Amino acid sequence: MSIDRYVYHEEDTPTYTPAGHDGTVNRRLIGEAENFHLVLGTLEKGAVARRHSHSDLEQGMYVLEGRARIEIDGEAKEVAEGGVIFFPVGVPHRIEALGDPVTRFLIVYSPPLKAHPDPTP
């Protein structure tokens, strides 16, 4: 077994755009773990993750760079670098990137997302 399976750089992972997201490029940094996925999300200014919920998982986000307007269950708040966001199972949420030029999130899903999107060409 090679250590390169466990230690690598973000540029080594393919990109994809999740369904229901505009102006978003994600990278599954850790996508093979049994109990969680770790994703790097990069959103252009004005990018939107349309209102949705996850019926089978929790989602946590850490703002690495930029700002975003987060709506959770009908309430809204702006979060900036260093902000932490939690989306419980089944709770509707929406994200709009306000950072210029981008907003970057470190995202954890637990359990892992069932959908495995195709890489962006």
Side-chain angles (χ1 to χ4, degrees), residues 43 49 51 59 61 63 67-80 83-87 92-98 103 105:
L43 288 75
R51 187 168 286 103
Q59 179 179 357
M61 300 174 68
V63 183
R67 301 177 298 118
R69 177 182 167 87
I70 306 296
E71 295 178 22
I72 301 173
D73 203 18
E75 293 187 54
K77 185 170 187 169
E78 188 174 310
V79 294
V84 178
I85 304 124
F86 171 64
F87 302 124
H93 55 277
R94 179 183 182 276
I95 302 164
E96 181 179 353
L98 305 173
T103 299
F105 296 101

Side-chain angles (χ1 to χ4, degrees), residues 16-76:
Y16 67 95
T17 298
H21 293 59
D22 299 314
T24 301
V25 174
N26 281 0
R27 291 179 183 273
R28 276 206 178 138
L29 300 178
I30 300 175
E32 302 300 322
E34 288 184 38
N35 298 306
F36 76 100
H37 277 161
L38 181 65
V39 174
L40 176 64
T42 303
L43 288 75
E44 300 170 357
K45 184 175 185 176
V48 173
R50 292 187 289 277
R51 187 168 286 103
H52 66 285
S53 62
H54 304 282
S55 63
D56 59 348
L57 57 83
E58 296 175 311
Q59 179 179 357
M61 300 174 68
Y62 178 78
V63 183
L64 295 167
E65 174 183 351
R67 301 177 298 118
R69 177 182 167 87
I70 306 296
E71 295 178 22
I72 301 173
D73 203 18
E75 293 187 54

Side-chain angles (χ1 to χ4, degrees), residues 88-111:
V89 172
V91 174
H93 55 277
R94 179 183 182 276
I95 302 164
E96 181 179 353
L98 305 173
D100 193 7
V102 298
T103 299
R104 289 171 40 108
F105 296 101
L106 194 57
I107 307 163
V108 176
Y109 296 99
S110 180

